[in-house]
């Protein structure tokens, strides 16, 4: 099979199948008006910022302002943290697991009922393909929230060492850690907000959420629904949208905050960790990645490589788990480059409101310039630019970028080592299986990995050798409510989802109970 024989329509169809299908009765996105409002959620109320300040929300597909968000100050943050502290110290939230389960169910129901508004606002503020909102960008995280609602009510918070039900003896209890600051990015905001907020709330911890200023409505809607549609006690859940770096920094240093859960770049995560050290806060970090796809020499190259390559365009390449390195046997390097180019050329790029589009724009002009900078670095370092590398001027003024492919990439070069956060794929040749594993592991990151091969035992063995928190073999998925999500090394510490994600916000207490004295 020659590269020219790759059926781009077939690849395009399979790519769209990787995203959730749009229901036949789904209303057109344009029929739902944008609703995002410039309000904070503090102490059980929806309020403007104390100064009345707002900032614009820009649609990356059109570069047009589509609304406003409240621009919180340190004064607003102080009120939010104080409300959360009072809720932890005085309300029943930390002790009443049935209340927590009920309130989280109410929030889940409200999210389901308003999902079309949430869908419209999500596409408007981050430019994700609408098809993604029927999966990982919206509908799936809403359903996954039910896992934490169930866990809040069913988890065994106290366990007698050695078993048994007698009160006497040694016990350990898991108790909520306290007030949790949640700081989230813009790339998959609903998923990331609910992963952290859901776990902390289910564990009994009041939360102050600060979403990215590039996706403020995804957080603000959660605050609105909690206030309008649930029985959450005042102060248990607070949302402060802000463009101020001081506001984010204060969340990491305020002594009233007991833990910080952060998703973002590794560079910023290091700053969060250092700032939190002053008050010895618990820190949960989900940071960058530089995932590799290892295509073994027994894999069906014609079937695997085009799709494995095109996957870098998921969410316009703006996800920490995406495989931006494609490791292929040296003897098949040139053939794999041809197949990868066909796969990337098959990616439907365009208006994110179109259900037949797989890839929308980058989030901002700054992000597009960042990706352009890496393309220039790749060329300067000697990699061969095979496809793309520039703006989609036909889709201006949106922040669109071409699916981009480099071949002959040195595994130690910048484009092979650093997180680009755009639709840029590097093809890297390896000599043998040991060399492939060494190259895959040769970064500071350790978040995700991917392996393809016909011999399943061999593929799983390679997967076990990758020093990452998660690996997908032959198209398997490591995403799910019950599956812990997180990485090793400079990809972070701690986990989201699963029981492990819930327990990040619980502290252990050992209690020894003596026998009654005669």
């Amino acid at each position: 099979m020659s590269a020219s024989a790759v059926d781009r329509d077939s690849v395009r169809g399979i790519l769209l199948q990787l995203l959730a299908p749009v229901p036949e009765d789904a209303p057109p996105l344009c029929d739902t008006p944008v609703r995002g409002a410039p309000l904070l959620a503090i102490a059980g109320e929806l309020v403007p910022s104390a100064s009345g300040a707002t900032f614009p929300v820009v649609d990356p597909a059109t570069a047009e302002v589509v609304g406003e968000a409240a621009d919180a100050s340190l004064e607003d943050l102080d009120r939010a943290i104080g409300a959360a502290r009072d809720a932890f110290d005085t309300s029943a939230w930390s002790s009443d697991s049935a209340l927590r389960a009920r309130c989280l169910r109410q929030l889940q129901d409200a999210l389901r009922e308003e999902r079309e508004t949430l869908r419209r606002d999500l596409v408007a503020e981050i430019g994700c393909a609408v098809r993604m909102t029927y999966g990982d960008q919206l509908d799936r995280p809403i359903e996954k929230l039910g896992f934490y609602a169930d866990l809040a009510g069913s988890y065994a918070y106290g366990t007698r060492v050695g078993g048994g039900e007698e009160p006497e003896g040694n016990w350990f209890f898991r108790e909520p850690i306290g007030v949790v600051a949640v700081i989230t990015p813009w790339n998959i905001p609903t998923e990331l907000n609910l992963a952290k907020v859901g776990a902390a709330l289910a564990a009994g911890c009041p939360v102050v959420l600060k979403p990215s200023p590039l996706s403020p409505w995804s957080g603000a809607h959660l605050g609105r629904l909690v206030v309008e549609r649930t029985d959450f006690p005042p102060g248990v859940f607070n949302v402060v949208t802000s463009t101020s770096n001081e506001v984010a920094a204060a969340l990491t240093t305020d002594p009233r905050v007991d833990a910080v859960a952060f998703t973002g770049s590794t560079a910023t995560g290091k700053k969060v960790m250092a700032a939190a050290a002053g008050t010895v806060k618990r820190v949960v970090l989900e940071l960058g990645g530089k995932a590799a796809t290892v295509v073994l020499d027994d894999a069906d190259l014609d079937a695997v490589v085009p799709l494995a390559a095109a996957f870098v365009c998921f969410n316009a390449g703006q996800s920490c788990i995406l495989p931006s390195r494609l490791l292929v046997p040296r003897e098949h390097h040139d053939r794999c480059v041809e197949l990868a180019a066909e796969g990337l050329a098959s990616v439907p790029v365009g208006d994110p409101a179109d259900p037949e589009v797989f890839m929308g724009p980058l989030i901002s002009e700054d992000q597009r310039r960042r990706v352009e900078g890496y393309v220039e670095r790749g060329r300067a370092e000697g990699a061969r630019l095979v496809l793309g590398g520039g703006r989609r001027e036909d889709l201006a003024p949106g922040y669109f970028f071409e699916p981009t492919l480099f071949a002959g990439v040195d595994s130690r070069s910048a484009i092979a080592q650093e997180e680009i956060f755009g639709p840029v794929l590097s093809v890297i040749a390896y000599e043998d299986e040991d060399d492939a594993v060494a190259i895959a592991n040769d970064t500071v990151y350790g978040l995700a990995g991917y392996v393809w091969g016909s011999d399943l035992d061999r593929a799983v063995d390679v997967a076990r050798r990758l020093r990452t928190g998660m690996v997908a073999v032959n198209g398997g998925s490591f995403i799910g409510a019950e599956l812990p999500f997180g990485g090793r090394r400079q990809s972070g510490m701690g986990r989201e989802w699963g029981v492990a994600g819930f327990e990040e916000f619980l502290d252990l207490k050992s209690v020894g109970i003596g026998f009654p004295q005669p």
Side-chain angles (χ1 to χ4, degrees):
M1 181 178 180
S2 66
S4 60
V6 171
D7 185 343
R8 291 188 182 181
D9 287 338
S10 176
V11 173
R12 184 178 294 111
I14 296 173
L15 277 175
L16 291 174
Q17 290 175 25
L18 294 177
L19 304 180
V22 178
E24 291 184 3
D25 59 350
L29 196 65
C30 59
D31 289 351
T32 303
V34 171
R35 186 181 173 182
L39 295 173
L40 310 172
I42 300 177
E45 297 181 337
L46 300 177
V47 296
S49 64
S51 67
T54 63
F55 61 91
V57 177
V58 176
D59 183 340
T62 64
E64 295 178 353
V65 174
V66 290
E68 294 181 325
D71 201 355
S73 64
L74 289 174
E75 178 182 351
D76 298 303
L77 180 66
D78 180 70
R79 288 184 55 227
I81 295 175
R85 187 77 250 170
D86 286 345
F88 183 70
D89 292 337
T90 65
S91 80
W93 191 256
S94 64
S95 59
D96 190 340
S97 60
L99 171 66
R100 301 199 295 268
R102 176 165 58 87
C103 289
L104 286 169
R105 284 293 183 197
Q106 290 173 335
L107 177 58
Q108 184 182 40
D109 289 342
L111 288 166
R112 287 169 174 159
E113 291 168 11
E114 289 212 14
R115 74 174 75 222
E116 297 312 319
T117 293
L118 304 177
R119 194 182 319 282
R120 181 68 189 91
D121 282 9
L122 188 59
V123 174
E125 70 178 343
I126 69 170
C128 67
V130 66
R131 199 170 182 124
M132 289 187 67
T133 67
Y134 291 92
D136 293 329
Q137 282 282 14
L138 182 65
D139 286 6
R140 285 179 189 156
I142 290 174
E143 296 312 307
K144 285 162 66 176
L145 183 61
F147 172 81
Y148 282 138
D150 289 343
L151 197 57
S154 64
Y155 184 79
Y157 295 93
T159 303
R160 188 180 188 276
V161 178
E165 299 296 330
E166 303 86 356
E168 298 82 12
N170 296 316
W171 289 72
F172 67 84
F173 295 91
R174 293 187 185 270
E175 301 176 346
I177 194 170
V179 174
V180 176
V182 173
I183 305 172
T184 54
W186 45 263
N187 59 325
I188 310 180
T190 302
E191 163 75 22
L192 294 170
N193 288 340
L194 291 180
K196 297 179 186 345
V197 166
L201 292 174
C205 301
V207 168
V208 179
L209 167 65
K210 185 205 172 292
S212 166
L214 294 175
S215 57
W217 290 341
S218 298
H221 276 310
L222 288 180
R224 176 178 62 81
L225 292 176
V226 164
V227 171
E228 294 179 346
R229 307 280 291 277
T230 75
D231 297 325
F232 277 75
V236 165
F237 184 55
N238 308 272
V239 181
V240 288
T241 55
S242 180
T243 60
S244 169
N245 290 332
E246 286 185 316
V247 168
L251 274 170
T252 67
T253 58
D254 194 298
R256 296 170 293 178
V257 173
D258 300 288
V260 180
F262 170 83
T263 294
S265 72
T266 295
T268 304
K270 292 176 181 178
K271 295 177 181 178
V272 169
M273 191 173 181
T279 47
V280 198
K281 302 184 193 306
R282 180 174 299 179
V283 178
V284 181
L285 302 175
E286 201 274 282
L287 307 177
K290 193 66 180 177
T293 293
V294 178
V295 179
L296 297 174
D297 56 13
D298 65 345
D300 183 343
L301 301 182
D302 293 331
V304 167
V305 172
L307 291 172
F311 190 47
V312 78
C313 296
F314 180 88
N315 206 36
Q318 300 170 127
S319 173
C320 53
I321 63 171
L322 293 183
S324 56
R325 297 179 294 156
L326 184 64
L327 277 53
V328 302
R330 186 170 298 281
E331 63 268 28
H332 300 304
H333 174 270
D334 292 348
R335 173 66 180 144
C336 288
V337 169
E338 294 174 349
L339 290 168
E342 289 296 317
L344 287 171
S346 305
V347 174
V349 181
D351 180 0
D354 182 350
E356 298 305 309
V357 161
F358 184 84
M359 176 178 137
L362 296 174
I363 187 66
S364 67
E365 180 60 23
D366 285 346
Q367 184 62 22
R368 185 162 63 173
R369 290 196 188 103
R370 172 185 167 86
V371 175
E372 288 176 325
Y374 274 105
V375 170
E376 291 307 309
R377 289 180 70 179
R379 298 173 75 171
E381 291 175 332
R384 177 166 63 93
L385 180 62
V386 177
L387 184 75
R391 302 182 176 206
R392 284 289 302 267
E393 299 295 352
D394 59 314
L395 296 173
Y399 310 128
F400 291 87
F401 200 80
E402 297 173 316
T404 299
L405 177 66
F406 279 102
V409 177
D410 183 334
S411 66
R412 298 302 301 164
S413 64
I415 60 172
Q417 288 289 319
E418 299 177 20
E419 188 173 43
I420 298 173
F421 235 55
V424 180
L425 180 69
S426 296
V427 179
I428 302 172
Y430 66 82
E431 301 296 339
D432 55 26
E433 185 178 300
D434 290 341
D435 188 38
V437 170
I439 293 171
N441 288 336
D442 187 24
T443 76
V444 298
Y445 299 108
L447 186 58
Y450 304 80
V451 181
W452 291 89
S454 295
D455 183 333
L456 184 59
D457 289 340
R458 180 189 179 204
V460 171
D461 180 66
V462 171
R464 293 293 303 272
R465 295 170 66 189
L466 300 183
R467 293 198 296 271
T468 63
M470 302 166 291
V471 185
V473 176
N474 289 346
S477 175
F478 47 66
I479 303 295
E482 299 84 3
L483 299 175
F485 182 102
R488 302 179 184 179
R489 296 178 286 162
Q490 293 192 35
S491 285
M493 59 175 63
R495 291 295 184 268
E496 296 175 345
W497 296 114
V499 175
F502 174 77
E503 290 180 343
E504 293 289 352
F505 303 103
L506 295 171
D507 256 339
L508 276 173
K509 176 186 287 183
S510 297
V511 177
I513 302 175
F515 291 89
Q517 298 299 312

